[in-house]
Amino acid sequence: MKKILIVSGCSWTDLNFESDFHNIDCSWPKWHEILAKKLDVELVSLGKSGAGQEYIFNSIVEYISSLSEEDIKRIYMVIAAWTTPARRDYQVNREWYRLRFDDHGDVYYVVEKSLRYFYQFQVFCERFNFPYKQIS
């Protein structure tokens, strides 16, 4: 059974990305698809267009928490592809929604909020010995 590459992020990791601004075909292979193919691993893409740090972090934690012990052992690497700090995510009836710009708080708040998610992701992966990368 192949190892698993788990990736979450915004538009750049959304396998179904469609441009809001240009009428172009966006069906080209995304960076994480190319990486998974080169590494010969199974890709789990959790990315959603417009996603913020809260969704990115929680989608990874929730996905890994749902895996069996056997599948957890198959994790090759976990990659958080962080997005712009000013985005906001929230849930209604367990469904994720996104705001591309959260006008609550100042620039220091949104940057510090992002840094907190970066650190939580690092602690989570190190605690369970998951190889990880963070990109932005």
Side-chain angles (χ1 to χ4, degrees):
M1 216 182 282
K2 283 189 174 186
K3 292 284 192 175
I4 303 170
L5 173 64
I6 301 168
V7 180
S8 188
C10 61
S11 306
W12 304 108
T13 56
D14 188 338
L15 295 175
N16 301 308
F17 171 72
E18 294 180 7
S19 175
D20 289 343
F21 304 104
H22 306 286
N23 186 18
I24 58 173
D25 178 8
C26 300
S27 63
W28 61 78
K30 309 305 183 277
W31 67 270
H32 56 317
E33 293 175 281
I34 296 167
L35 179 61
K37 186 175 181 178
K38 287 192 178 283
L39 294 172
D40 192 29
V41 294
E42 179 183 331
L43 175 64
V44 174
S45 178
L46 305 169
K48 296 287 181 199
S49 191
Q53 316 309 25
E54 183 176 0
Y55 170 82
I56 295 167
F57 174 76
N58 284 295
S59 66
I60 291 169
V61 172
E62 289 171 6
Y63 178 79
I64 291 173
S65 297
S66 74
L67 294 176
S68 68
E69 291 279 332
E70 183 178 306
D71 284 338
I72 286 175
K73 292 176 185 169
R74 293 178 50 217
I75 295 174
Y76 175 81
M77 182 178 292
V78 184
I79 301 176
W82 303 111
T83 190
T84 184
R87 290 187 176 168
R88 174 148 193 276
D89 308 295
Y90 61 96
Q91 285 184 303
V92 176
N93 295 323
R94 305 215 24 92
E95 182 80 25
W96 282 101
Y97 295 90
R98 305 163 244 319
L99 298 174
R100 289 187 187 255
F101 184 78
D102 181 3
D103 60 357
H104 292 80
D106 60 13
V107 68
Y108 299 106
Y109 164 72
V110 296
V111 170
E112 288 173 352
K113 181 176 73 169
S114 289
L115 291 172
R116 289 181 202 115
Y117 281 112
F118 302 170
Y119 184 64
Q120 288 178 72
F121 174 75
Q122 175 185 333
V123 169
F124 173 77
C125 289
E126 289 177 357
R127 165 63 181 87
F128 295 103
N129 297 314
F130 300 135
Y132 69 94
K133 299 287 182 199
Q134 300 189 65
I135 61 174
S136 182

